[in-house]
Amino acid sequence: EVQLVQSGAEVKKPGESLKISCKGSGYTFTNYWIGWVRQMPGKGLEWMGIIYPDDSGTIYSPSFQGQVTISADKSISTAYVQWSSLKASDTAIYYCTRRETQYSGTYLQKTSDRFDPWGQGTLVTVSS
Amino acid sequence: EIVLTQSPGTLSLSPGERATLSCRASQTVSSSFLSWYQQKPGQAPRLLIYGVSGRATGIPDRFSGSGSGTDFTLTISRLEPEDFAVYYCLHYGSSPPRYTFGQGTKLEIK
């Protein structure tokens, strides 16, 4: 069974640093991109970025570029998001998810791109 | 930058009824890269539909997707009590690589 298991809830103060994790199992971790998605309290889903664990190639949403660092350690099948200096506005649930793509045809044209499955989420609370 | 607008914001229906949820893109997008997700309170999102009309593993056939160009629809043919949740559409754009979520439609029991 393909699974993504995230680290537990965190309570931090403004200005502190934090690194949360997402461990993949049941598949070859290095073959799939991992995405991160933020959900602020009572709000919708926001894409933060994706990482390819095999070479740590990363693509950030412009909204999150410079605000977080996405990384991965392929030796332990784990992806991370980290903050160097948290703000109250970072309070949210953070989800990791696996990027699934499909290709077909002679020239391997991409025919699908979606996120499946999802981790259970990590609640990050930043409060003084 | 593509913007996805979902409507209605809230949809109030009864079990057994048909639900039609809309996702409109601000410009023409590839239907291959449009997917739908269900999120229940306190749970992570779950993939329902991908490539506009493909159903994810384990998703009942009462869920279907359609559309092209700028207008996409998620239809739930006959609502079950467990279908009341928030639904999001998502698009992947390749130039530059970027994912965009719609703001969500809350499907509530009438």
Side-chain angles (χ1 to χ4, degrees), chain B residues 1-20:
Chain B
E1 180 184 339
I2 291 170
V3 176
L4 298 180
T5 301
Q6 293 188 238
S7 61
T10 301
L11 184 58
S12 300
L13 293 170
S14 301
E17 290 192 293
R18 181 184 186 91
T20 303

Side-chain angles (χ1 to χ4, degrees), chain A residues 5-124:
Chain A
V5 178
Q6 298 185 231
S7 50
E10 302 275 0
V11 179
K12 292 289 189 179
K13 290 181 166 45
E16 292 186 331
S17 62
L18 176 65
K19 191 173 188 179
I20 63 174
S21 67
C22 168
K23 183 174 176 63
S25 63
Y27 72 100
T28 302
F29 188 71
T30 50
N31 286 358
Y32 293 83
W33 293 78
I34 292 289
W36 286 93
V37 174
R38 182 176 76 176
Q39 187 167 41
M40 299 177 76
K43 301 299 183 183
L45 305 173
E46 300 173 88
W47 173 65
M48 299 170 64
I50 51 174
I51 187 166
Y52 193 64
D54 195 37
D55 61 8
S56 290
T58 310
I59 302 171
Y60 289 93
S61 161
S63 300
F64 289 88
Q65 179 86 48
Q67 308 304 307
V68 299
T69 300
I70 294 173
S71 61
D73 184 341
K74 63 183 179 181
S75 69
I76 54 172
S77 302
T78 301
Y80 305 93
V81 176
Q82 67 182 88
W83 294 260
S84 58
S85 180
L86 286 160
K87 302 184 283 288
S89 58
D90 293 318
T91 295
I93 298 174
Y94 293 87
Y95 294 101
C96 66
T97 179
R98 189 181 75 165
R99 180 192 191 190
E100 281 259 24
T101 54
Q102 282 179 308
Y103 296 84
S104 68
T106 305
Y107 301 101
L108 293 180
Q109 187 173 7
K110 189 189 292 188
T111 55
S112 172
D113 195 311
R114 71 263 192 185
F115 286 140
D116 184 47
W118 293 63
Q120 83 277 18
T122 296
L123 174 62
V124 174

